[in-house]
């Protein structure tokens, strides 16, 4: 497939699992973009609304921990959501934190997002048997667990 370096063909990563997963993720985002746009949300914001709908008032750090992402980026997304009327904030457990809570607009957007995700999942799993869909979910969970364990091992 390309030049050889250290005995391995360059370009093999263009067809490996990493690339397949990344391309599936990008296809998923493209499919869901009209739904996100229709809700008046930016990328990644809908999942934050659903988190608050399920978990109730939460700190930005709790949300960032759940999604395994940078607290600063979650903070910026919540600032935007608050300006747009999807969430409100109140002082949290200490002066450095605030508790975020859904507004009625945020609850409605979260419910509509769940319906869009149901549709996306049906399309994505078209032609999969129930057993294949369950195995696929298991494979993704196991792959994530493997990567998390490896990352934690590097940090130690």
């Amino acid at each position: 497939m390309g030049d050889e370096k250290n005995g391995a063909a360059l370009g093999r990563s263009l067809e490996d699992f990493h690339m397949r997963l990344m391309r599936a993720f990008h296809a998923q985002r493209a499919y869901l973009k009209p739904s996100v746009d229709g809700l008046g949300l930016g990328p990644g914001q809908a999942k934050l609304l659903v988190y608050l709908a399920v978990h109730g008032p939460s700190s930005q750090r709790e949300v960032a921990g759940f999604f395994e992402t940078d607290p600063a980026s979650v903070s910026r997304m919540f600032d935007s959501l608050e300006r747009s009327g999807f969430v409100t904030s109140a002082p949290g457990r200490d002066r450095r934190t605030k508790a975020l809570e859904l507004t009625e607009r945020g609850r409605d957007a979260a419910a509509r997002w769940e319906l869009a995700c149901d549709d996306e999942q049906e399309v994505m799993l078209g032609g999969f048997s129930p057993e294949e869909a369950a195995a696929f979910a298991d494979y993704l969970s196991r792959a994530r667990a493997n990567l998390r364990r490896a990352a934690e091992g590097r940090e130690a």
Side-chain angles (χ1 to χ4, degrees):
M1 185 177 245
D3 293 336
E4 298 247 348
K5 185 174 183 171
N6 297 329
L10 291 176
R12 67 191 174 284
S13 66
L14 296 176
E15 294 297 328
D16 67 4
F17 282 103
H18 164 264
M19 185 62 69
R20 290 169 195 263
L21 187 58
M22 186 180 72
R23 293 184 75 193
F25 169 73
H26 286 287
Q28 177 191 43
R29 277 188 25 184
Y31 182 86
L32 288 168
K33 186 175 182 340
S35 297
V36 170
D37 292 347
L39 293 171
L41 298 170
Q45 292 181 331
K47 67 184 179 190
L48 303 182
L49 298 179
V50 173
Y51 180 92
L52 293 178
V54 171
H55 295 277
S58 303
S59 72
Q60 294 171 357
R61 184 166 303 284
E62 290 168 329
V63 176
F66 179 84
F67 289 109
E68 300 175 9
T69 192
D70 176 44
S73 65
V74 169
S75 177
R76 287 188 297 274
M77 283 193 273
F78 272 128
D79 287 345
S80 175
L81 288 167
E82 189 169 14
R83 283 191 305 273
S84 300
F86 291 100
V87 300
T88 60
S89 65
R93 293 183 199 93
D94 61 49
R95 290 182 296 187
R96 295 172 298 165
T97 63
K98 55 185 176 178
L100 299 147
E101 189 169 6
L102 288 178
T103 63
E104 190 58 41
R105 181 176 188 203
R107 272 187 286 286
D108 178 62
R112 290 172 51 204
W113 177 249
E114 290 281 282
L115 293 174
C117 289
D118 290 344
D119 175 62
E120 177 266 337
Q121 183 169 300
E122 187 175 320
V123 169
M124 178 178 62
L125 297 175
F128 284 55
S129 70
E131 296 79 18
E132 288 171 325
F136 184 43
D138 179 59
Y139 298 153
L140 289 172
S141 295
R142 288 167 45 198
R144 177 188 168 273
N146 289 342
L147 290 167
R148 291 301 308 147
R149 264 193 310 281
E152 289 166 4
R154 285 182 177 171
E155 294 168 2

